[in-house]
Amino acid sequence: MDTIFAECRLAEIQSRYPQNLFSTEFIFSNDPEFTRLRNQPIAKGPTGPLTLLSVMLRHGLDEQRRAHLFSSPFDLGSMKSIAKNQLSLSDLAAKVRREKKLPDDVATRKKEFESITGAIKKMTGKGFREYKDKQNSLRVIYLLDRLMNAPGSSKEGRNERILTFIKTPAKTFAFEMRGAYPTADSETNSFLLNDLRAYLGIEIDLDTLTDVDSFFCSLIDRVDCIHHLLDQAAYSAGTHEGIISSYQRLISHIDHFDVPRSNMPLQSRLDLELYLHLHKVEFMHFAGALRNVYTKAAPPSSIHPIREDMILAFSQITNHQQTYRNITLPYFRFDAFEEIAKANRDYFLELIHTSMGLRLSDRDYERSTTLAEELLFRVKFFASESPIDRCDIRVNFREITSSLCAVAQALQFRTEYRSNIFRDTGQTRSIITPLERRLDIENLDPKYAIQEGYLQLWHHRREWVQDALEGHSAIASLKFELRKKLLDKVIDCLNLNDIEAIRDALRTLETRLSDIRLG
């Protein structure tokens, strides 16, 4: 972002609020109103959305503001230097205890930050002494210590469990670690992550911040592009057996790819490594949660292929001889979904029975229709690059059939799934419940939002069911196995602690996979 544009934008926002935006209270306070305001995105570029706070700290800090906000030498961003005889954890402990009005015992000072330094070592692989820039490291630890205060005891305190929140995930993963589809329950998590990144970036040069941000901003789309290219390569084999063989070979290639390791010693700083870590953690949560969804997306019961049955049913509905290609063309208006389902009830009931072995009652079919319509709309809405209304969408016969079959099956065979949100265990275990509330595109308020996990699960469940209806269950299974393997290998690349090494490793993976010849 251009600095002049940033200053103009900040001045325009400041004119609308009586509170001084560059006050310590606004920038660091845990006040909900301030937190929401400083986390509103005010610009977007190649590095993704920029929050008000990140723009302020990257482009709005002149000497006067910096001196006011970071008056102590121990503040990250301060223009003052810590005295050489105070560059130790013991000296920082003494300062913190004075500020908290706690008794000070010299013998216990070294234990004051054990939880922080221990967590840092788990996150970055380095202990405090391994960082050469002691001033920078002490400032980061001081920042984390202040943020770890309980919200009730300090204006800056966020959560005593902040280190748990930002640790590398191992077993539990949450889509809501990122803010792509915010819900009322997850917004505070996204805000905390955004704030942390903004604070840690204060002393990192703008080019490096832009370099890291731009890489991770495009990473999800980049991985998505890789697996789409691999799908195209596999399907280019043409025959059912050829596609299966191609997927098996691609999976083997991914398994045997070794992430290149850099032999160069890293001379890094704690603020930069933690800044990089927060980006990595966000993607790792997404990848882990998506991997779990891929597993849960598998249909809960066997599906009999009905490709020819679909072609026949479509031919009878349209009174015209159709081909397979015709059932994949956008023939129907989506806002006529309910009317189409009612008018052709017998055809769809027979397709559901033949494929799923289910005989639906009138009540079950009506419910399946309502839920299938909502499912298909959500798939189309969230796949669109711009907001779309129901009347703007056209769908094909295959999509309608697969949506009805997927929902009818899910109503009969329960899938246990809970979308994980940090500090929230109250999410429904039913994948049906999220479809029962109609998506209101005029009011996408987070308090009415559906957790991304359920959106992802239904998107991939319908895809898997659609493949199975066409006789490609084995292909679908391998397709999703490849996606899981790809995510695992990308995570291996991210386990490196240097952005250049990470970028080189991912580029090498892309090159190796694109060079595979399956013919």
Side-chain angles (χ1 to χ4, degrees), residues 413-427:
F413 301 94
R414 183 180 175 87
T415 296
E416 290 285 334
Y417 176 78
R418 172 178 284 167
S419 184
N420 294 308
I421 297 180
F422 191 69
R423 298 194 305 272
D424 179 14
T425 58
Q427 303 305 313

Side-chain angles (χ1 to χ4, degrees), residues 75-351:
D75 288 335
L76 193 63
S78 176
M79 294 187 294
K80 302 175 183 177
S81 297
I82 301 174
K84 289 184 179 180
N85 63 351
Q86 293 183 330
L87 285 170
S88 71
L89 289 172
S90 178
D91 290 297
L92 179 59
K95 172 181 171 59
V96 166
R97 289 176 178 180
R98 284 195 304 271
E99 292 176 347
K100 295 180 180 179
K101 298 179 181 179
L102 297 174
D104 183 23
D105 179 359
V106 176
T108 63
R109 285 181 185 175
K110 289 185 178 181
K111 296 183 179 181
E112 182 71 25
F113 306 110
E114 280 186 345
S115 61
I116 296 178
T117 56
I120 287 173
K121 186 161 187 176
K122 288 182 180 179
M123 289 183 239
T124 69
K126 293 181 182 178
F128 174 78
R129 293 182 179 180
E130 295 178 73
Y131 290 98
K132 300 285 172 87
D133 191 335
K134 296 303 180 194
Q135 174 171 279
N136 179 262
S137 299
L138 288 170
R139 288 176 170 181
V140 171
I141 290 173
Y142 181 46
L143 169 68
L144 292 175
D145 182 76
R146 286 154 53 203
L147 295 176
M148 284 173 62
N149 290 326
S153 65
S154 163
K155 289 184 178 180
E156 298 175 348
R158 304 302 167 80
N159 194 292
E160 314 88 283
R161 298 184 60 206
I162 192 171
L163 296 176
T164 301
F165 175 64
I166 63 173
K167 71 177 183 180
T168 303
K171 294 182 180 179
T172 303
F173 306 92
F175 284 112
E176 282 70 23
M177 189 71 169
R178 66 194 187 114
Y181 302 109
T183 68
D185 298 314
S186 68
E187 268 194 325
T188 54
N189 297 336
S190 298
F191 292 164
L192 177 55
L193 192 65
N194 290 341
D195 281 352
L196 279 171
R197 274 200 290 252
Y199 300 149
L200 286 170
I202 292 172
E203 292 188 1
I204 302 172
D205 69 89
L206 190 56
D207 287 342
T208 300
L209 289 175
T210 302
D211 191 28
V212 174
D213 290 347
S214 60
F215 175 84
F216 282 95
C217 174
S218 64
L219 185 55
I220 291 176
D221 287 340
R222 195 168 169 181
V223 174
D224 199 43
C225 181
I226 294 172
H227 86 63
H228 278 304
L229 290 174
L230 295 178
D231 285 343
Q232 290 176 7
Y235 274 87
S236 67
T239 66
H240 183 85
E241 293 74 15
I243 296 170
I244 287 178
S245 176
S246 293
Y247 269 118
Q248 290 170 337
R249 290 175 62 189
L250 288 169
I251 290 171
S252 177
H253 277 290
I254 293 175
D255 276 337
H256 288 89
F257 174 78
D258 292 323
V259 175
R261 304 288 171 180
S262 174
N263 295 321
M264 296 182 63
L266 297 177
Q267 299 294 329
S268 190
R269 301 188 329 182
L270 181 54
D271 58 350
L272 177 56
E273 288 204 0
L274 283 184
Y275 188 85
L276 182 61
H277 171 79
L278 293 181
H279 271 294
K280 292 196 293 186
V281 163
E282 186 177 19
F283 181 83
M284 287 176 177
H285 269 283
F286 171 81
L290 186 59
R291 200 184 191 288
N292 291 340
V293 160
Y294 286 157
T295 300
K296 288 290 185 179
S301 65
S302 60
I303 297 176
H304 183 76
I306 56 167
R307 175 172 163 146
E308 297 305 319
D309 303 77
M310 285 192 288
I311 297 171
L312 177 60
F314 189 46
S315 298
Q316 293 171 331
I317 289 170
T318 58
N319 292 317
H320 184 75
Q321 183 60 46
Q322 304 287 356
T323 64
Y324 171 73
R325 180 176 180 274
N326 296 137
I327 69 171
T328 68
L329 298 177
Y331 185 86
F332 301 100
R333 285 177 46 196
F334 180 79
D335 56 359
F337 189 102
E338 183 179 359
E339 178 185 338
I340 295 165
K342 284 183 178 179
N344 301 288
R345 174 180 175 279
D346 291 343
Y347 292 113
F348 287 120
L349 281 172
E350 186 59 31
L351 291 173

Side-chain angles (χ1 to χ4, degrees), residues 349-361:
L349 281 172
E350 186 59 31
L351 291 173
I352 292 170
H353 172 65
T354 304
S355 61
M356 303 289 176
L358 303 174
R359 288 288 187 190
L360 302 189
S361 64

